[in-house]
Amino acid sequence: MFTSQTSSFQDSIDVEDRDEFDSEEITGYSQKTQLYCYYTIYLYQGSRSEASEENVAWNQRRADSTTTQEDFSLTLVDSSLPSEAEPELRTYISRRLSKGALLGGMGNIATVELSIPEQAVGCYCCLLEQEKSPEQPDADGNGYFTQKNEQRSLTRNTFRLELDKYVQGLHSSLQTPELQNLETEVRPYLSRWYEESVMHIYRVVQLVQNNITFLLHAALSHTHVEVINSDEKTKADVSRFIKAASLQGLSQQDTTTASLCKAMSEDTQSDLVINCSTSPPTFTNTVTNRFCDEWIQAFLNAAERCNPFLLRQILENFKLKAIQDMNSLKRFVRQAEMSHYALFRCCQFLQACGNGDVLLQNARAEHSDLPEACNIITVLEEFLSEQNQA
């Protein structure tokens, strides 16, 4: 399990309920925050398993770190948790397993009360099942439980997909008897879970600062972003940020995203280039709009507080607002086909939202097979172009 905790974190922050993201009412993270991150890994054995000699010896040596139930046993392999907290965590996992609440390969996040300073922690846990050998076709669920613990905000499932992917990276390292590679591979990998799975958005905001607006616009408009003169980690961070900020996969129709991506690939616009040879990095072929600019301060303030969870929540709210505006535009376009007043309202909406270029781009891709809607969108594009020139 992965566990972590930060002191004085206001886990109940809901960004949608805040009128201003830079308000001092958003407290919890100072610029220097004490952070507690932990991991734990257990050997899980089902009752029908014929334990190997290596596992028998392992359990005998770790009898005081093994919890045995009627249907399974759970043995501690390694943990960074305080010694008084680990048995509490093992008891919690055993209770969940006995109820059938944890399934193999599916990450689960919950709040757990442990003997750790300050407050309860959010725990991510996942059962990684070992490959069944031909000699043991009836083996019942042998595997390893990896657990990562963070502050309560982890229970919001904010980074669950990232954690799921990170845990799967352990599969190949867990196939050796008695985990002979524990110190060389498994432990270093687990120790990096927070840095690799949670902090990438924070690192990108810290890197680009006010220029985050260009990345936000590139993500919404499906503009390719190229990072040059940087290490692979920075390139991966930027790529993951763009993917997290993109609306791909969130459309109501599966064909919408494919249509949009095709439209963008045929567009003549240039890629956004980030040159990291200077500090701060320089940007080429930048495009943004008022909608993206309005989110800059929210990201910067959350980054100043070293709060990756608030950063992710702000990013999700950014996407939610963009989706809401897209749905509004689609409704206006349908109404405008029958009403000139609705067309006027549509023009007003595009002028007020500040994201007209992106919305119309998406709308044209979605309505490419509807001539009347395309005519309305053409009129709206001309209106927006005239307003920008004015």
Side-chain angles (χ1 to χ4, degrees), residues 280-331:
T282 56
F283 286 68
T284 307
N285 302 324
T286 57
V287 181
T288 188
N289 57 31
R290 179 161 48 85
F291 175 78
C292 295
D293 289 344
E294 290 173 349
W295 290 83
I296 294 175
Q297 201 57 48
F299 282 97
L300 295 182
N301 288 339
E304 287 177 2
R305 294 177 172 87
C306 304
N307 188 339
F309 297 94
L310 182 56
L311 277 170
R312 184 54 178 264
Q313 188 61 55
I314 291 172
L315 188 60
E316 293 301 318
N317 285 339
F318 166 81
K319 294 162 60 178
L320 177 60
K321 178 58 177 173
I323 292 173
Q324 290 173 341
D325 287 349
M326 287 182 184
N327 291 335
S328 296
L329 179 61
K330 285 190 288 186
R331 185 175 67 253

Short mmCIF file of all heavy atoms in Angstrom, two decimals, residues 280-331:
data_model
loop_
_atom_site.label_atom_id
_atom_site.label_comp_id
_atom_site.label_asym_id
_atom_site.label_seq_id
_atom_site.Cartn_x
_atom_site.Cartn_y
_atom_site.Cartn_z
N PRO A 280 13.95 30.69 -17.41
CA PRO A 280 12.92 29.69 -17.71
C PRO A 280 12.94 29.28 -19.18
O PRO A 280 13.54 29.97 -20.01
CB PRO A 280 11.63 30.43 -17.36
CG PRO A 280 11.94 31.87 -17.59
CD PRO A 280 13.37 32.03 -17.18
N PRO A 281 12.28 28.19 -19.54
CA PRO A 281 12.26 27.73 -20.93
C PRO A 281 11.60 28.76 -21.85
O PRO A 281 10.76 29.54 -21.42
CB PRO A 281 11.41 26.44 -20.86
CG PRO A 281 11.45 26.02 -19.43
CD PRO A 281 11.54 27.29 -18.64
N THR A 282 12.00 28.73 -23.10
CA THR A 282 11.40 29.61 -24.10
C THR A 282 10.38 28.82 -24.92
O THR A 282 10.55 27.63 -25.19
CB THR A 282 12.46 30.19 -25.03
OG1 THR A 282 13.20 29.12 -25.64
CG2 THR A 282 13.42 31.08 -24.26
N PHE A 283 9.32 29.52 -25.34
CA PHE A 283 8.22 28.89 -26.07
C PHE A 283 8.16 29.47 -27.48
O PHE A 283 8.32 30.68 -27.67
CB PHE A 283 6.89 29.13 -25.37
CG PHE A 283 6.70 28.30 -24.13
CD1 PHE A 283 7.47 28.51 -23.00
CD2 PHE A 283 5.74 27.30 -24.09
CE1 PHE A 283 7.29 27.75 -21.85
CE2 PHE A 283 5.55 26.54 -22.96
CZ PHE A 283 6.33 26.76 -21.84
N THR A 284 7.90 28.60 -28.46
CA THR A 284 7.77 29.01 -29.85
C THR A 284 6.41 28.54 -30.38
O THR A 284 5.93 27.47 -29.99
CB THR A 284 8.89 28.40 -30.71
OG1 THR A 284 10.16 28.71 -30.12
CG2 THR A 284 8.85 28.96 -32.12
N ASN A 285 5.83 29.35 -31.26
CA ASN A 285 4.51 29.06 -31.85
C ASN A 285 3.42 29.02 -30.78
O ASN A 285 2.59 28.11 -30.74
CB ASN A 285 4.54 27.73 -32.62
CG ASN A 285 5.56 27.72 -33.73
OD1 ASN A 285 5.80 28.73 -34.38
ND2 ASN A 285 6.19 26.57 -33.94
N THR A 286 3.44 30.01 -29.92
CA THR A 286 2.48 30.02 -28.80
C THR A 286 1.12 30.53 -29.24
O THR A 286 1.01 31.47 -30.05
CB THR A 286 3.00 30.92 -27.67
OG1 THR A 286 3.24 32.24 -28.17
CG2 THR A 286 4.29 30.36 -27.09
N VAL A 287 0.09 29.90 -28.73
CA VAL A 287 -1.30 30.32 -28.94
C VAL A 287 -2.03 30.15 -27.61
O VAL A 287 -1.86 29.14 -26.93
CB VAL A 287 -2.01 29.48 -30.02
CG1 VAL A 287 -3.44 29.97 -30.22
CG2 VAL A 287 -1.24 29.52 -31.33
N THR A 288 -2.82 31.12 -27.23
CA THR A 288 -3.63 30.99 -26.03
C THR A 288 -4.89 31.84 -26.20
O THR A 288 -5.11 32.44 -27.25
CB THR A 288 -2.85 31.42 -24.78
OG1 THR A 288 -3.62 31.10 -23.60
CG2 THR A 288 -2.54 32.91 -24.79
N ASN A 289 -5.70 31.88 -25.18
CA ASN A 289 -6.90 32.71 -25.21
C ASN A 289 -7.24 33.15 -23.78
O ASN A 289 -6.56 32.77 -22.82
CB ASN A 289 -8.08 31.97 -25.86
CG ASN A 289 -8.41 30.65 -25.16
OD1 ASN A 289 -8.21 30.51 -23.96
ND2 ASN A 289 -8.90 29.69 -25.92
N ARG A 290 -8.24 33.96 -23.65
CA ARG A 290 -8.59 34.52 -22.35
C ARG A 290 -9.02 33.44 -21.36
O ARG A 290 -8.72 33.54 -20.16
CB ARG A 290 -9.71 35.56 -22.53
CG ARG A 290 -10.18 36.21 -21.23
CD ARG A 290 -10.91 37.52 -21.53
NE ARG A 290 -11.89 37.36 -22.59
CZ ARG A 290 -13.15 36.92 -22.39
NH1 ARG A 290 -13.55 36.60 -21.17
NH2 ARG A 290 -14.00 36.84 -23.40
N PHE A 291 -9.70 32.42 -21.84
CA PHE A 291 -10.14 31.34 -20.97
C PHE A 291 -8.96 30.67 -20.28
O PHE A 291 -8.96 30.46 -19.06
CB PHE A 291 -10.93 30.32 -21.79
CG PHE A 291 -11.35 29.10 -21.01
CD1 PHE A 291 -12.44 29.14 -20.15
CD2 PHE A 291 -10.65 27.91 -21.15
CE1 PHE A 291 -12.82 28.02 -19.43
CE2 PHE A 291 -11.04 26.78 -20.44
CZ PHE A 291 -12.12 26.83 -19.59
N CYS A 292 -7.93 30.34 -21.04
CA CYS A 292 -6.75 29.69 -20.46
C CYS A 292 -5.98 30.64 -19.56
O CYS A 292 -5.46 30.23 -18.51
CB CYS A 292 -5.85 29.15 -21.57
SG CYS A 292 -6.60 27.83 -22.57
N ASP A 293 -5.91 31.91 -19.96
CA ASP A 293 -5.19 32.89 -19.13
C ASP A 293 -5.80 33.03 -17.74
O ASP A 293 -5.08 33.25 -16.76
CB ASP A 293 -5.18 34.26 -19.83
CG ASP A 293 -4.28 34.29 -21.06
OD1 ASP A 293 -3.44 33.38 -21.19
OD2 ASP A 293 -4.43 35.21 -21.87
N GLU A 294 -7.10 32.90 -17.67
CA GLU A 294 -7.77 33.10 -16.38
C GLU A 294 -7.45 32.01 -15.37
O GLU A 294 -7.71 32.18 -14.17
CB GLU A 294 -9.28 33.16 -16.60
CG GLU A 294 -9.73 34.44 -17.31
CD GLU A 294 -11.21 34.42 -17.68
OE1 GLU A 294 -11.83 33.32 -17.55
OE2 GLU A 294 -11.74 35.47 -18.09
N TRP A 295 -6.88 30.89 -15.80
CA TRP A 295 -6.55 29.80 -14.89
C TRP A 295 -5.10 29.84 -14.42
O TRP A 295 -4.70 29.03 -13.58
CB TRP A 295 -6.82 28.46 -15.57
CG TRP A 295 -8.28 28.20 -15.76
CD1 TRP A 295 -9.08 28.64 -16.78
CD2 TRP A 295 -9.13 27.44 -14.90
NE1 TRP A 295 -10.37 28.20 -16.61
CE2 TRP A 295 -10.43 27.46 -15.47
CE3 TRP A 295 -8.93 26.73 -13.72
CZ2 TRP A 295 -11.51 26.81 -14.87
CZ3 TRP A 295 -10.01 26.08 -13.13
CH2 TRP A 295 -11.28 26.13 -13.70
N ILE A 296 -4.30 30.77 -14.95
CA ILE A 296 -2.88 30.82 -14.61
C ILE A 296 -2.67 30.96 -13.11
O ILE A 296 -1.92 30.19 -12.48
CB ILE A 296 -2.17 31.97 -15.35
CG1 ILE A 296 -2.17 31.73 -16.85
CG2 ILE A 296 -0.74 32.13 -14.85
CD1 ILE A 296 -1.59 32.88 -17.66
N GLN A 297 -3.32 31.95 -12.50
CA GLN A 297 -3.06 32.24 -11.10
C GLN A 297 -3.47 31.09 -10.18
O GLN A 297 -2.83 30.85 -9.16
CB GLN A 297 -3.80 33.52 -10.68
CG GLN A 297 -3.24 34.19 -9.43
CD GLN A 297 -1.76 34.54 -9.58
OE1 GLN A 297 -1.35 35.13 -10.58
NE2 GLN A 297 -0.96 34.14 -8.60
N ALA A 298 -4.50 30.39 -10.54
CA ALA A 298 -4.92 29.24 -9.72
C ALA A 298 -3.82 28.18 -9.68
O ALA A 298 -3.51 27.65 -8.61
CB ALA A 298 -6.21 28.65 -10.29
N PHE A 299 -3.23 27.89 -10.83
CA PHE A 299 -2.14 26.91 -10.86
C PHE A 299 -0.93 27.40 -10.10
O PHE A 299 -0.29 26.63 -9.35
CB PHE A 299 -1.76 26.59 -12.31
CG PHE A 299 -2.71 25.65 -13.00
CD1 PHE A 299 -3.72 26.13 -13.82
CD2 PHE A 299 -2.59 24.28 -12.84
CE1 PHE A 299 -4.59 25.26 -14.46
CE2 PHE A 299 -3.47 23.41 -13.47
CZ PHE A 299 -4.47 23.90 -14.28
N LEU A 300 -0.57 28.65 -10.27
CA LEU A 300 0.61 29.19 -9.59
C LEU A 300 0.45 29.20 -8.08
O LEU A 300 1.38 28.86 -7.34
CB LEU A 300 0.92 30.60 -10.10
CG LEU A 300 1.32 30.72 -11.58
CD1 LEU A 300 1.64 32.17 -11.92
CD2 LEU A 300 2.50 29.82 -11.90
N ASN A 301 -0.73 29.57 -7.60
CA ASN A 301 -0.96 29.60 -6.16
C ASN A 301 -0.91 28.21 -5.55
O ASN A 301 -0.36 28.01 -4.45
CB ASN A 301 -2.30 30.26 -5.85
CG ASN A 301 -2.28 31.76 -6.09
OD1 ASN A 301 -1.22 32.38 -6.10
ND2 ASN A 301 -3.44 32.34 -6.30
N ALA A 302 -1.48 27.23 -6.24
CA ALA A 302 -1.43 25.85 -5.73
C ALA A 302 0.00 25.32 -5.74
O ALA A 302 0.41 24.59 -4.83
CB ALA A 302 -2.33 24.95 -6.56
N ALA A 303 0.78 25.70 -6.77
CA ALA A 303 2.18 25.26 -6.83
C ALA A 303 3.00 25.89 -5.71
O ALA A 303 3.90 25.24 -5.15
CB ALA A 303 2.77 25.61 -8.19
N GLU A 304 2.72 27.14 -5.38
CA GLU A 304 3.43 27.80 -4.28
C GLU A 304 3.20 27.08 -2.96
O GLU A 304 4.06 27.07 -2.09
CB GLU A 304 2.98 29.26 -4.17
CG GLU A 304 3.50 30.15 -5.28
CD GLU A 304 2.97 31.57 -5.15
OE1 GLU A 304 2.23 31.82 -4.17
OE2 GLU A 304 3.29 32.40 -6.02
N ARG A 305 2.04 26.48 -2.81
CA ARG A 305 1.72 25.74 -1.59
C ARG A 305 2.18 24.28 -1.67
O ARG A 305 1.88 23.49 -0.77
CB ARG A 305 0.21 25.78 -1.33
CG ARG A 305 -0.30 27.18 -1.00
CD ARG A 305 -1.81 27.19 -0.83
NE ARG A 305 -2.29 28.47 -0.34
CZ ARG A 305 -2.60 29.50 -1.10
NH1 ARG A 305 -2.47 29.40 -2.41
NH2 ARG A 305 -3.01 30.62 -0.57
N CYS A 306 2.88 23.94 -2.75
CA CYS A 306 3.38 22.56 -2.92
C CYS A 306 2.25 21.56 -2.80
O CYS A 306 2.40 20.50 -2.17
CB CYS A 306 4.48 22.25 -1.90
SG CYS A 306 5.87 23.38 -1.94
N ASN A 307 1.12 21.87 -3.40
CA ASN A 307 -0.07 21.05 -3.24
C ASN A 307 -0.43 20.37 -4.56
O ASN A 307 -1.20 20.91 -5.35
CB ASN A 307 -1.24 21.94 -2.77
CG ASN A 307 -2.46 21.12 -2.40
OD1 ASN A 307 -2.61 19.99 -2.81
ND2 ASN A 307 -3.32 21.72 -1.60
N PRO A 308 0.11 19.18 -4.83
CA PRO A 308 -0.19 18.50 -6.10
C PRO A 308 -1.65 18.06 -6.21
O PRO A 308 -2.17 17.94 -7.31
CB PRO A 308 0.75 17.28 -6.08
CG PRO A 308 1.00 17.03 -4.63
CD PRO A 308 1.02 18.39 -3.98
N PHE A 309 -2.32 17.85 -5.07
CA PHE A 309 -3.71 17.41 -5.11
C PHE A 309 -4.64 18.55 -5.51
O PHE A 309 -5.57 18.37 -6.27
CB PHE A 309 -4.12 16.82 -3.76
CG PHE A 309 -3.33 15.60 -3.41
CD1 PHE A 309 -2.20 15.70 -2.63
CD2 PHE A 309 -3.70 14.36 -3.89
CE1 PHE A 309 -1.45 14.57 -2.31
CE2 PHE A 309 -2.97 13.23 -3.59
CZ PHE A 309 -1.83 13.34 -2.79
N LEU A 310 -4.37 19.73 -4.99
CA LEU A 310 -5.14 20.89 -5.41
C LEU A 310 -4.86 21.22 -6.87
O LEU A 310 -5.77 21.60 -7.62
CB LEU A 310 -4.81 22.09 -4.52
CG LEU A 310 -5.59 23.38 -4.81
CD1 LEU A 310 -7.10 23.14 -4.74
CD2 LEU A 310 -5.18 24.48 -3.84
N LEU A 311 -3.61 21.04 -7.29
CA LEU A 311 -3.27 21.26 -8.70
C LEU A 311 -4.09 20.34 -9.60
O LEU A 311 -4.63 20.77 -10.63
CB LEU A 311 -1.78 21.02 -8.93
CG LEU A 311 -0.84 22.18 -8.63
CD1 LEU A 311 0.61 21.71 -8.67
CD2 LEU A 311 -1.05 23.33 -9.59
N ARG A 312 -4.18 19.08 -9.23
CA ARG A 312 -4.93 18.13 -10.04
C ARG A 312 -6.42 18.47 -10.03
O ARG A 312 -7.11 18.37 -11.05
CB ARG A 312 -4.72 16.71 -9.53
CG ARG A 312 -5.39 15.62 -10.38
CD ARG A 312 -4.95 15.77 -11.85
NE ARG A 312 -5.52 14.73 -12.69
CZ ARG A 312 -4.89 13.60 -13.01
NH1 ARG A 312 -3.67 13.36 -12.56
NH2 ARG A 312 -5.46 12.72 -13.78
N GLN A 313 -6.93 18.91 -8.86
CA GLN A 313 -8.34 19.28 -8.78
C GLN A 313 -8.63 20.50 -9.65
O GLN A 313 -9.67 20.58 -10.32
CB GLN A 313 -8.73 19.56 -7.33
CG GLN A 313 -10.21 19.77 -7.11
CD GLN A 313 -11.02 18.54 -7.49
OE1 GLN A 313 -10.78 17.44 -7.00
NE2 GLN A 313 -11.98 18.71 -8.38
N ILE A 314 -7.71 21.47 -9.64
CA ILE A 314 -7.87 22.64 -10.50
C ILE A 314 -7.86 22.23 -11.96
O ILE A 314 -8.66 22.73 -12.78
CB ILE A 314 -6.75 23.67 -10.20
CG1 ILE A 314 -6.94 24.28 -8.81
CG2 ILE A 314 -6.73 24.78 -11.26
CD1 ILE A 314 -5.79 25.15 -8.36
N LEU A 315 -6.96 21.31 -12.32
CA LEU A 315 -6.90 20.84 -13.70
C LEU A 315 -8.20 20.15 -14.11
O LEU A 315 -8.70 20.35 -15.22
CB LEU A 315 -5.72 19.88 -13.87
CG LEU A 315 -5.39 19.43 -15.29
CD1 LEU A 315 -5.05 20.64 -16.17
CD2 LEU A 315 -4.25 18.43 -15.30
N GLU A 316 -8.76 19.35 -13.20
CA GLU A 316 -10.02 18.68 -13.50
C GLU A 316 -11.17 19.69 -13.64
O GLU A 316 -12.05 19.53 -14.49
CB GLU A 316 -10.36 17.66 -12.41
CG GLU A 316 -9.40 16.48 -12.35
CD GLU A 316 -9.36 15.70 -13.65
OE1 GLU A 316 -10.43 15.49 -14.25
OE2 GLU A 316 -8.25 15.32 -14.08
N ASN A 317 -11.16 20.73 -12.83
CA ASN A 317 -12.19 21.77 -12.93
C ASN A 317 -12.03 22.59 -14.21
O ASN A 317 -13.02 23.03 -14.79
CB ASN A 317 -12.15 22.67 -11.71
CG ASN A 317 -12.72 22.00 -10.48
OD1 ASN A 317 -13.48 21.06 -10.59
ND2 ASN A 317 -12.36 22.48 -9.31
N PHE A 318 -10.80 22.79 -14.63
CA PHE A 318 -10.52 23.45 -15.91
C PHE A 318 -11.15 22.66 -17.05
O PHE A 318 -11.84 23.22 -17.92
CB PHE A 318 -9.00 23.56 -16.09
CG PHE A 318 -8.56 23.90 -17.49
CD1 PHE A 318 -8.59 25.21 -17.93
CD2 PHE A 318 -8.10 22.91 -18.35
CE1 PHE A 318 -8.17 25.53 -19.22
CE2 PHE A 318 -7.68 23.22 -19.63
CZ PHE A 318 -7.73 24.53 -20.07
N LYS A 319 -10.96 21.35 -17.04
CA LYS A 319 -11.55 20.50 -18.08
C LYS A 319 -13.07 20.49 -17.99
O LYS A 319 -13.77 20.50 -19.01
CB LYS A 319 -10.99 19.08 -17.94
CG LYS A 319 -9.52 18.99 -18.25
CD LYS A 319 -8.91 17.71 -17.71
CE LYS A 319 -9.54 16.47 -18.28
NZ LYS A 319 -8.88 15.23 -17.78
N LEU A 320 -13.58 20.44 -16.75
CA LEU A 320 -15.03 20.42 -16.56
C LEU A 320 -15.68 21.68 -17.12
O LEU A 320 -16.71 21.61 -17.81
CB LEU A 320 -15.36 20.29 -15.08
CG LEU A 320 -16.85 20.32 -14.71
CD1 LEU A 320 -17.60 19.18 -15.38
CD2 LEU A 320 -17.02 20.26 -13.20
N LYS A 321 -15.06 22.83 -16.87
CA LYS A 321 -15.60 24.09 -17.39
C LYS A 321 -15.56 24.10 -18.92
O LYS A 321 -16.51 24.56 -19.58
CB LYS A 321 -14.81 25.27 -16.83
CG LYS A 321 -15.25 26.63 -17.34
CD LYS A 321 -16.72 26.91 -17.05
CE LYS A 321 -17.10 28.30 -17.52
NZ LYS A 321 -18.56 28.53 -17.40
N ALA A 322 -14.48 23.59 -19.49
CA ALA A 322 -14.37 23.54 -20.95
C ALA A 322 -15.46 22.65 -21.54
O ALA A 322 -16.08 22.97 -22.56
CB ALA A 322 -12.98 23.05 -21.36
N ILE A 323 -15.72 21.52 -20.91
CA ILE A 323 -16.76 20.60 -21.39
C ILE A 323 -18.14 21.23 -21.27
O ILE A 323 -18.98 21.11 -22.18
CB ILE A 323 -16.70 19.28 -20.59
CG1 ILE A 323 -15.42 18.51 -20.93
CG2 ILE A 323 -17.92 18.41 -20.90
CD1 ILE A 323 -15.20 17.28 -20.07
N GLN A 324 -18.39 21.92 -20.16
CA GLN A 324 -19.67 22.60 -19.99
C GLN A 324 -19.89 23.63 -21.10
O GLN A 324 -20.99 23.74 -21.65
CB GLN A 324 -19.73 23.26 -18.62
CG GLN A 324 -19.83 22.28 -17.47
CD GLN A 324 -19.73 22.96 -16.11
OE1 GLN A 324 -19.24 24.09 -15.99
NE2 GLN A 324 -20.17 22.28 -15.07
N ASP A 325 -18.83 24.39 -21.42
CA ASP A 325 -18.95 25.40 -22.48
C ASP A 325 -19.17 24.74 -23.85
O ASP A 325 -19.91 25.26 -24.68
CB ASP A 325 -17.70 26.28 -22.51
CG ASP A 325 -17.66 27.25 -21.34
OD1 ASP A 325 -18.68 27.38 -20.64
OD2 ASP A 325 -16.59 27.87 -21.12
N MET A 326 -18.52 23.61 -24.08
CA MET A 326 -18.73 22.89 -25.34
C MET A 326 -20.17 22.43 -25.48
O MET A 326 -20.78 22.55 -26.55
CB MET A 326 -17.78 21.69 -25.42
CG MET A 326 -16.33 22.05 -25.67
SD MET A 326 -15.28 20.58 -25.79
CE MET A 326 -13.67 21.35 -25.96
N ASN A 327 -20.72 21.91 -24.40
CA ASN A 327 -22.11 21.46 -24.43
C ASN A 327 -23.07 22.64 -24.65
O ASN A 327 -24.08 22.51 -25.36
CB ASN A 327 -22.45 20.73 -23.14
CG ASN A 327 -21.75 19.39 -23.02
OD1 ASN A 327 -21.38 18.79 -24.03
ND2 ASN A 327 -21.54 18.92 -21.81
N SER A 328 -22.74 23.77 -24.04
CA SER A 328 -23.58 24.96 -24.23
C SER A 328 -23.55 25.41 -25.68
O SER A 328 -24.59 25.75 -26.27
CB SER A 328 -23.10 26.09 -23.31
OG SER A 328 -23.27 25.75 -21.94
N LEU A 329 -22.35 25.41 -26.27
CA LEU A 329 -22.24 25.83 -27.67
C LEU A 329 -23.01 24.89 -28.59
O LEU A 329 -23.70 25.34 -29.51
CB LEU A 329 -20.77 25.88 -28.09
CG LEU A 329 -20.51 26.28 -29.55
CD1 LEU A 329 -21.06 27.68 -29.83
CD2 LEU A 329 -19.03 26.19 -29.89
N LYS A 330 -22.94 23.60 -28.35
CA LYS A 330 -23.68 22.64 -29.19
C LYS A 330 -25.19 22.89 -29.10
O LYS A 330 -25.90 22.80 -30.10
CB LYS A 330 -23.34 21.21 -28.76
CG LYS A 330 -21.97 20.75 -29.21
CD LYS A 330 -21.76 19.26 -29.00
CE LYS A 330 -21.60 18.91 -27.54
NZ LYS A 330 -21.26 17.47 -27.36
N ARG A 331 -25.65 23.21 -27.90
CA ARG A 331 -27.08 23.51 -27.73
C ARG A 331 -27.46 24.77 -28.48
O ARG A 331 -28.49 24.83 -29.16
CB ARG A 331 -27.40 23.64 -26.24
CG ARG A 331 -28.89 23.82 -25.96
CD ARG A 331 -29.18 23.83 -24.47
NE ARG A 331 -28.63 25.00 -23.81
CZ ARG A 331 -27.57 24.97 -23.02
NH1 ARG A 331 -26.93 23.82 -22.78
NH2 ARG A 331 -27.11 26.07 -22.44
#
